[in-house]
Amino acid sequence: MVLDREKIDFYLTDLETPVGKVISVTISLLVLVSSGIFVAETYDLSQEARWELRVLDNCVLIIFAGEYLLRLWSTKDRIKYILSFYAIIDLISILPSFIGLVNISFIRLLRWFRILRLLRFIDKKFLIGSISNQDSVIFARILFTLFAIVFVFSGLIYQVEHPVNPQNFDTFLDAFYFSVVTMTTVGFGDVIPISELGRLLTVLMILTGVALIPWQIGDLIRRLVKTANQVETVCQGCGLAFHDADAVFCKRCGKQL
């Protein structure tokens, strides 16, 4: 039984073996499917289509819940796992759906954080098999972080404002437009939240946009400039792809190039 736990824990965290990659790709695709369902539900759909989406989302939820329980069961230090960043994100992604069964609608706002589950795989240098060096990982994380922040805020503002302000927040695209305009501090003023919670979220968007987006974009530009001044020489030791033109040894592991 101990061996089984070790195997499960290994495959749930491994991104190198075929089994580990299949599990990772499957979870990533399910996260995207779930996020797509959330977006689709903001549009005018037939009852049959909504029922099919709900069934699909419930299936994804069951898989996520099973994955969380497997990770909790197979890990050696359960307390450390429960308090870890990714475990909290995993729990946030599944808890609102179960709590929603007893009509606590406010907590269901947290379901939009499910997209953050993809950070686990980007952090592990894995994104559909295309990321193989640290610079690419950082590049991907910057882009995904910007997208995830806008996506989460768009979902939150939609769910808060749509019931009381449907003319301005009719679909997810309306909320996405508002989030981008707000977080970039352009502020056209053509879409305005009217609820107190919606205005609070708008303030948080502005603060996030002012504090985070310039920093992330600046880091991204620095990475691009840094890469532009280097040549592609893949290190056989650690896989670092770019080095200075006159480099003889890898700056990360010291292996001769």
Side-chain angles (χ1 to χ4, degrees):
M1 184 61 69
V2 175
L3 182 61
D4 291 340
R5 287 190 177 186
E6 291 178 351
K7 282 186 176 180
I8 292 174
D9 183 58
F10 172 77
Y11 285 128
L12 286 175
T13 57
D14 170 65
L15 298 174
E16 301 295 334
T17 65
V19 175
K21 287 185 177 181
V22 168
I23 293 175
S24 300
V25 170
T26 301
I27 295 299
S28 299
L29 291 176
L30 289 176
V31 171
L32 294 176
V33 168
S34 177
S35 302
I37 291 173
F38 292 159
V39 172
E41 287 179 338
T42 68
Y43 289 85
D44 186 18
L45 302 175
S46 65
Q47 286 298 113
E48 182 180 0
R50 288 189 178 277
W51 181 83
E52 292 174 351
L53 289 176
R54 179 51 49 194
V55 170
L56 180 58
D57 190 51
N58 287 338
C59 292
V60 173
L61 171 66
I62 292 172
I63 295 174
F64 284 165
E67 180 212 2
Y68 178 84
L69 293 176
L70 277 177
R71 289 182 185 273
L72 180 62
W73 174 75
S74 61
T75 189
K76 294 180 180 179
D77 190 341
R78 291 188 174 91
I79 300 299
K80 181 179 179 181
Y81 170 73
I82 291 174
L83 298 178
S84 66
F85 171 76
Y86 292 119
I88 293 174
I89 292 298
D90 289 346
L91 188 60
I92 287 176
S93 71
I94 60 177
L95 192 60
S97 296
F98 288 111
I99 294 180
L101 296 176
V102 293
N103 198 28
I104 303 179
S105 57
F106 180 79
I107 197 68
R108 288 174 64 85
L109 291 172
L110 297 177
R111 69 181 189 164
W112 295 96
F113 285 88
R114 193 175 292 183
I115 192 72
L116 296 180
R117 283 175 53 93
L118 289 178
L119 277 172
R120 182 197 302 275
F121 306 109
I122 297 178
D123 188 55
K124 294 293 185 178
K125 304 182 182 181
F126 180 84
L127 185 64
I128 319 301
S130 62
I131 293 179
S132 58
N133 60 74
Q134 187 63 28
D135 285 343
S136 298
V137 173
I138 295 174
F139 181 83
R141 284 180 63 82
I142 291 172
L143 292 180
F144 178 75
T145 300
L146 293 174
F147 168 76
I149 291 172
V150 174
F151 182 88
V152 171
F153 270 122
S154 299
L156 295 178
I157 195 69
Y158 170 81
Q159 208 152 354
V160 168
E161 282 292 311
H162 177 70
V164 297
N165 192 11
Q167 64 274 15
N168 285 329
F169 294 90
D170 185 40
T171 66
F172 179 84
L173 183 59
D174 295 331
F176 187 81
Y177 163 79
F178 173 77
S179 298
V180 172
V181 169
T182 301
M183 295 184 69
T184 55
T185 65
V186 176
F188 292 135
D190 53 338
V191 179
I192 302 175
I194 61 175
S195 68
E196 290 187 0
L197 184 54
R199 290 173 178 172
L200 176 61
L201 284 173
T202 302
V203 172
L204 293 177
M205 283 186 200
I206 296 172
L207 294 177
T208 302
V210 169
L212 185 61
I213 290 181
W215 171 65
Q216 291 279 45
I217 293 179
D219 196 12
L220 177 59
I221 293 175
R222 286 193 296 271
R223 291 281 168 182
L224 292 175
V225 172
K226 173 186 172 183
T227 301
N229 293 331
Q230 295 177 337
V231 295
E232 186 172 3
T233 306
V234 180
C235 174
Q236 299 301 316
C238 65
L240 184 63
F242 291 93
H243 296 82
D244 294 335
D246 59 348
V248 178
F249 298 94
C250 176
K251 62 182 179 182
R252 180 190 293 173
C253 67
K255 185 179 180 63
Q256 186 172 0
L257 298 173

